[in-house]
Amino acid sequence: GWHDWALEGDAAVSRQYSKTIVHLTQPQHWAGGDASRAEAWWLDGSDLDLFSGYEIGGLGGRYPVGGYFRNEFRAQRAGVLDLSHEWRLETDRRLSLHADGARLETLGPGATGRAGDWETLASLGLGFYYGIRAMGGLPVIVRYMEGLLIPEGSKEGHRREILLVLAAGF
């Protein structure tokens, strides 16, 4: 009485998948407390499905590209790059500039809906870190990202994402 799951061609023939992840981070500290950071991921896999595929997109995603939905894209293989520079205005006030990009091979339902298609994603954004002095420096963090490359067939004409983080102490 078992029937294969609708998105799986033949569940009985499913193989064990494998994943390879290479992650590099390069911080650079400048005079006056300013800092830059480059972070890159090279992701590769075999026999991945929608559950095991790499989840790419969104500020809160595992492999972030701001301006897109969180984990919007599932990928078989991808390269993801995250660049940022932070200007320290004061010890508890910081302004940051962010640029994200990814090149990925999709796994199926998503922006294109076809497995094996290659997508290119990019975004730019600004962030602000504000430590509330009256509350012992608890921060308010705001980040705005604009998706630059809208996938073909997307219902949205613009891709924007806003992250608001409020910290609390107990």
Side-chain angles (χ1 to χ4, degrees), residues 31-90:
D34 295 352
S36 298
R37 184 179 52 84
E39 197 164 2
W41 292 269
W42 177 74
L43 313 167
D44 192 18
S46 62
D47 298 318
L48 302 180
D49 59 18
L50 292 176
F51 295 113
S52 61
Y54 296 104
E55 302 164 336
I56 299 172
L59 288 171
R62 178 169 290 178
Y63 306 104
V65 179
Y68 298 89
F69 298 119
R70 181 175 182 266
N71 301 330
E72 176 177 357
F73 299 90
R74 294 289 195 273
Q76 176 85 14
R77 58 189 49 86
V80 181
L81 179 64
D82 178 32
L83 303 172
S84 66
H85 183 77
E86 183 177 88
W87 291 274
R88 186 174 292 252
L89 307 173
E90 293 186 34

Side-chain angles (χ1 to χ4, degrees), residues 2-12 49-51 107-109:
W2 259 142
H3 297 287
D4 290 344
W5 183 46
L7 293 177
E8 177 65 53
D10 186 5
D49 59 18
L50 292 176
F51 295 113
L107 275 172

